[in-house]
Amino acid sequence: MFVILSYDVKAARVGKARRLVKRYLRPVQRSVFEGFLSEGRLERLKKELRALLDTDEDSVRIYKLQNLQGAETEALGPVPAADSVVL
Amino acid sequence: MFVILSYDVKAARVGKARRLVKRYLRPVQRSVFEGFLSEGRLERLKKELRALLDTDEDSVRIYKLQNLQGAETEALGPVPAADSVVL
């Protein structure tokens, strides 16, 4: 399934959070990542995130798209080099 | 259509950008917004964003979902009060 993950993470933890999420998903903005993940891999990522983050202060949002029909991405401004491969 | 919009905007413009996008979409994180928009409203929002932002420095990412079948949102940590209404 296609996953979009965004986070608001306090500065003290954001470096670690970024390194963690990058092992699963491609960074497309400072706090947005995307890519294809199995349910199992996503559960693992969420478990690792829960262990790292303070969920009183940090917020993570995960959009799971099983069906990419009718889905489209647009970008204004700079995009990562590999951007054109997605959706 | 359902729209997820995220941005990386330089501090000088982020307040104005936030106020602008909030006229169209509901804020769900510091730099992520979502909601239902017509193509026409989205074009208007993009036009206003292009006028406000410096697209050499600022990046905007727009996910357009025509079909919410099989789409799901999960959140870890704090979420806006109206969060449960979406997807």
Side-chain angles (χ1 to χ4, degrees), chain A residues 2 4 6-9 26 28-34 39 42-43 46 49-50 53-80 83 86-87, chain B residues 2 4 6-9 26 28-34 39 42-43 46 49-50 53-80 83 86-87:
Chain A
F2 190 74
I4 304 161
S6 65
Y7 59 49
D8 269 350
V9 174
R26 186 172 70 93
V28 291
Q29 283 184 338
R30 231 169 2 173
S31 60
V32 182
F33 303 79
E34 61 182 39
E39 285 282 356
L42 177 60
E43 285 309 311
K46 282 159 57 183
L49 276 170
R50 277 194 207 97
L53 299 179
D54 176 343
T55 48
D56 288 339
E57 291 194 325
D58 305 324
S59 145
V60 177
R61 201 157 179 86
I62 298 167
Y63 299 94
K64 298 160 65 174
L65 308 180
Q66 304 286 355
N67 179 355
L68 288 182
Q69 221 186 348
E72 210 180 313
T73 308
E74 293 184 29
L76 311 178
V79 289
D83 192 65
V86 190
L87 287 194
Chain B
F2 190 74
I4 304 161
S6 65
Y7 59 48
D8 269 350
V9 174
R26 186 173 70 95
V28 291
Q29 282 184 339
R30 230 164 8 167
S31 60
V32 182
F33 303 79
E34 62 182 38
E39 284 283 356
L42 178 59
E43 284 310 310
K46 283 159 57 183
L49 276 170
R50 277 195 207 96
L53 300 179
D54 175 344
T55 48
D56 288 339
E57 293 193 323
D58 305 325
S59 146
V60 177
R61 199 154 181 89
I62 298 167
Y63 300 93
K64 297 160 64 175
L65 309 179
Q66 303 286 355
N67 179 355
L68 289 183
Q69 220 186 348
E72 211 179 312
T73 309
E74 292 183 29
L76 311 178
V79 291
D83 192 64
V86 189
L87 285 195

Side-chain angles (χ1 to χ4, degrees), chain B residues 5-53:
Chain B
L5 183 149
S6 65
Y7 59 48
D8 269 350
V9 174
K10 284 277 182 293
R13 290 177 291 273
V14 77
K16 275 189 183 170
R18 189 170 176 87
R19 281 193 293 281
L20 164 57
V21 179
K22 274 175 73 176
R23 288 198 280 114
Y24 293 83
L25 295 167
R26 186 173 70 95
V28 291
Q29 282 184 339
R30 230 164 8 167
S31 60
V32 182
F33 303 79
E34 62 182 38
F36 290 90
L37 279 187
S38 66
E39 284 283 356
R41 290 270 296 162
L42 178 59
E43 284 310 310
R44 208 163 132 178
L45 169 56
K46 283 159 57 183
K47 195 175 158 188
E48 288 197 73
L49 276 170
R50 277 195 207 96
L52 172 66
L53 300 179

